[in-house]
Amino acid sequence: MKKHTKVALVTGGNRGIGYELVRQLAMDGFKVILTSRNSETGHAAVQKLQESYLDVSFMIMDINNQTSIRQAAATVSEQYGRLDVLINNAGIYLDENKKLVNMDPSDLEKTITTNFFGAYHVIRSFMPLMEQQAYGRIINISSEYGAMSEMSSRGVGAYKLSKLILNGLTRLIAAESENDIKINAVDPGWVSSDMGGSSAPRTPEQAARSILWLATIGPEGPSGGFFKDRKQIEW
C-alpha cells in the first residue's frame, strides 16, 4: 500500500448497499477493508471485486462481538497504521409490524444490540486510529424511520428505536470530536436488497452515491448531521 493511500472500512460489506459502498470507494482510489461476520460470503465478495482490479481486502468482524471488533481494530492498526473512513453499514430488521409492547422482547433487544451497540463499539474501537492522525470521516447508515417525527406513528418500533438512538449517538460523538474528525448519519432511502426487498425503487448503486459524498468532505463540511440525498433531514 502506498504511504498516503487513504484507508476505508465498511461493516456488512459482503452484499447490498455495503458491497456497493466498498466498490465505489475502491473505484475512488481508497484501500478498502470489507468486513463481514460470514467468512465465506465475505471472501467471495472480495474476490469478485479483486477481479476488477480493485484494492479491496477482507477482514472478519462480528459487530455483536466486542472481542471480534477489538481484534479487527488491532489488525487494521498493525497492517495499515491508519483509518480515514469508517462506514457503519451492518444492521438488521426483525420487525413484523406488531405493536412495540406486543412484539417478542428479544427482537427489540437484538435490533438495538446490532443497530446501535454494534455501531457504538465499532466507533469506540476504531476512532483512536483517526485521533492519531487528527482526521477521520465516520458515516452511520441510518433511516428516515429514525427521525423523532416517526415516533408518533405506529409500526416497526424496534427498528425505529434503534435508528433513533443511532442518530443520537451521531450527534453526541460529533459534539465530542476534536480536530478534523466528522461523523454523520445518512438515510439511503428504500433500496432493493435483502433488507429492502425486490420491490424497492432504489438500487444499491444509487444509494451508495447518495452516501459517499460524506466520505470526502473537507474540513468545512458538516458533522453531526442527518442526511438524505445530500439534504439535511429534520431530527
Side-chain angles (χ1 to χ4, degrees):
M1 187 183 80
K2 294 179 181 178
K3 184 178 180 180
H4 300 295
T5 299
K6 287 191 174 182
V7 178
L9 184 146
V10 180
T11 68
N14 56 307
R15 60 185 181 180
I17 299 172
Y19 178 87
E20 188 59 30
L21 288 166
V22 171
R23 190 185 73 83
Q24 291 191 27
L25 281 165
M27 291 283 288
D28 200 32
F30 282 84
K31 164 66 185 176
V32 189
I33 304 162
L34 181 158
T35 77
S36 168
R37 64 181 179 180
N38 186 307
S39 178
E40 184 177 348
T41 59
H43 278 296
V46 165
Q47 183 176 357
K48 184 177 178 181
L49 291 163
Q50 289 177 342
E51 288 170 358
S52 297
Y53 303 101
L54 296 176
D55 191 1
V56 179
S57 61
F58 173 69
M59 189 172 296
I60 194 162
M61 184 170 74
D62 182 352
I63 66 168
N64 287 330
N65 184 315
Q66 292 183 49
T67 299
S68 174
I69 295 170
R70 288 193 296 267
Q71 288 174 342
T75 300
V76 172
S77 178
E78 180 181 346
Q79 293 186 359
Y80 307 105
R82 64 186 297 158
L83 184 65
D84 301 277
V85 175
L86 169 64
I87 302 184
N88 281 305
N89 166 75
I92 59 173
Y93 180 98
L94 301 177
D95 284 88
E96 296 179 354
N97 215 22
K98 295 180 180 179
K99 289 183 179 180
L100 194 62
V101 293
N102 293 337
M103 71 166 53
D104 185 335
S106 68
D107 285 346
L108 176 60
E109 292 167 4
K110 289 174 185 175
T111 301
I112 291 178
T113 295
T114 299
N115 294 355
F116 169 69
F117 280 108
Y120 166 74
H121 287 298
V122 169
I123 293 169
R124 186 171 181 270
S125 293
F126 284 92
M127 200 162 180
L129 278 169
M130 295 181 169
E131 291 172 337
Q132 273 179 199
Q133 60 187 16
Y135 175 89
R137 300 291 181 262
I138 302 171
I139 304 171
N140 292 329
I141 306 303
S142 185
S143 168
E144 206 161 17
Y145 274 144
M148 182 59 73
S149 59
E150 288 291 330
M151 302 306 125
S152 60
S153 59
R154 60 181 294 172
V156 295
Y159 188 73
K160 284 179 177 178
L161 282 175
S162 72
K163 295 301 185 179
L164 176 70
I165 306 170
L166 179 65
N167 288 347
L169 176 72
T170 302
R171 296 195 75 175
L172 279 167
I173 293 181
E176 295 173 353
S177 295
E178 300 175 346
N179 301 310
D180 191 15
I181 298 175
K182 298 185 180 297
I183 177 170
N184 292 285
V186 184
D187 170 25
W190 185 17
V191 181
S192 179
S193 63
D194 288 350
M195 183 182 291
S198 59
S199 60
R202 202 167 213 191
T203 67
E205 292 83 358
Q206 291 169 324
R209 284 197 297 272
S210 75
I211 293 166
L212 287 179
W213 66 282
L214 287 167
T216 56
I217 52 174
E220 73 291 342
S223 189
F226 182 24
F227 297 93
K228 181 177 181 180
D229 294 330
R230 301 196 180 203
K231 296 177 182 177
Q232 181 83 35
I233 299 175
E234 290 296 325
W235 294 97

